Amino acid sequence: MLRDARIPPRYAKCDLKNFLIYPNEKLQSAVTYARRFADQFPAVTKGLCLIGPPGIGKTHIAVAVLRQVVLEKGARALFYDVRELLKVIRSTYNPVVRTAEMDIIRPVMDAELLVLDDLGSEKPSEWVEEMMNLIVNTRYNERRPTIFTTNYEDTPDEADLDSLKARVGYRMHSRLHEMCEFLEYDGGDYRMLPPNGGPNDLTILWQTNKGRRVLPARARGPARAQLKEHDPLRSLKNPREARELQWPGGKAGRG
């Protein structure tokens, strides 16, 4: 069952017991939520959305929960990096017959627990929006718990093109808030931890890099298309701006 869950080899031994914790209140709170989720599964009402910069352990926590519910509860679970999932779906795309496409999507929608890693990193297009909304809305409607990780902050600033809302769209963002506990935190980069490093080293890394948030290079540009859903009167207020905010298109199979 663990093999079928598609956990990447790098994360194959992730566990909440071997996750190095240091004095970081929000990180500790996120781990507490994760433990509670895994212990109570399947009697959970919400999934988790782990938010923060790269390298702070979001994927480790998500996979650790997935492994625990598979091993202890016998749950059917799946892990997918969002970009990899879309790549796999796109490779099966047939504009006439969508059977092969649904062969990939159906297990994702039906999994008792789904981990979607790196949400928002995908390049926006109409097809990406359609696929992601189909998956998320189906799981939302059928109350199947999902764990998301993302590098994009859940900022209230609607003009911020590097926000989670701008990256995934207003519809999905609203669904996520009802589906998940939002666990946003900062911290030291585990990937920068020296050999045999410990909690003190992580604390130093955290303090040294505090406030230096590094987002993927794609964050700027295509994300502005997501703003088109926010204001239906935008086209009446500024026709030129409305044209600029249209989706760049993009059907499956195109680069």
Side-chain angles (χ1 to χ4, degrees):
M1 291 181 72
L2 281 177
R3 183 185 64 247
D4 292 342
R6 302 188 75 264
I7 298 171
R10 181 175 294 277
Y11 300 102
K13 295 184 179 180
C14 285
D15 193 294
L16 291 176
K17 295 177 183 177
N18 64 27
F19 185 59
L20 184 59
I21 299 176
Y22 57 101
N24 180 336
E25 186 177 347
K26 289 188 176 181
L27 169 63
Q28 292 169 348
S29 176
V31 173
T32 298
Y33 268 100
R35 285 199 180 106
R36 186 182 306 140
F37 179 96
D39 291 340
Q40 295 179 351
F41 189 90
V44 293
T45 56
K46 284 190 171 186
L48 305 174
C49 186
L50 297 158
I51 303 173
I56 62 171
K58 303 184 302 296
T59 303
H60 183 123
I61 295 172
V63 171
V65 172
L66 183 150
R67 291 183 71 251
Q68 184 173 332
V69 302
V70 170
L71 292 171
E72 296 182 5
K73 311 296 177 72
R76 293 178 296 103
L78 272 178
F79 174 98
Y80 265 107
D81 176 281
V82 171
R83 289 164 298 185
E84 177 65 20
L85 172 60
L86 293 170
K87 181 180 177 182
V88 171
I89 296 172
R90 188 178 285 112
S91 70
T92 68
Y93 181 76
N94 184 312
V96 179
V97 182
R98 300 183 66 174
T99 304
E101 190 177 42
M102 290 306 299
D103 287 343
I104 301 296
I105 300 172
R106 179 54 60 187
V108 174
M109 295 191 295
D110 290 347
E112 292 175 82
L113 176 63
L114 174 66
V115 172
L116 286 178
D117 194 40
D118 219 0
L119 182 68
S121 60
E122 62 279 5
K123 184 178 179 180
S125 73
E126 287 183 3
W127 180 81
V128 166
E129 182 189 28
E130 177 188 353
M131 287 296 106
M132 292 305 298
N133 274 293
L134 174 62
I135 292 166
V136 172
N137 287 348
T138 299
R139 297 189 63 82
Y140 168 83
N141 290 332
E142 298 182 5
R143 294 184 177 274
R144 294 196 174 104
T146 307
I147 299 175
F148 301 89
T149 76
T150 181
N151 295 328
Y152 295 92
E153 291 179 286
D154 187 36
T155 172
D157 181 3
E158 296 188 352
D160 183 0
L161 300 181
D162 286 336
S163 69
L164 180 62
K165 185 183 291 187
R167 294 300 298 178
V168 303
Y170 290 83
R171 245 186 335 174
M172 187 183 298
H173 183 260
S174 176
R175 292 279 194 272
L176 292 177
H177 267 276
E178 191 170 350
M179 292 172 70
C180 300
E181 294 286 352
F182 271 48
L183 306 173
E184 188 161 0
Y185 66 98
D186 198 356
D189 189 336
Y190 285 85
R191 299 184 184 113
M192 301 298 291
L193 191 65
N196 302 316
N200 289 339
D201 299 288
L202 280 167
T203 301
I204 293 171
L205 284 170
W206 178 29
Q207 296 300 328
T208 301
N209 294 296
K210 221 167 188 179
R212 299 180 187 176
R213 189 175 183 86
V214 180
L215 292 172
R218 288 182 179 178
R220 308 183 185 281
R224 12 181 357 195
Q226 300 283 2
L227 295 173
K228 71 169 189 172
E229 293 184 21
H230 178 52
D231 186 355
L233 299 179
R234 186 179 292 272
S235 61
L236 297 178
K237 296 173 184 175
N238 191 335
R240 180 178 178 181
E241 183 181 4
R243 287 195 301 273
E244 290 178 353
L245 293 176
Q246 294 303 307
W247 286 98
K251 297 293 184 182
R254 293 184 185 177

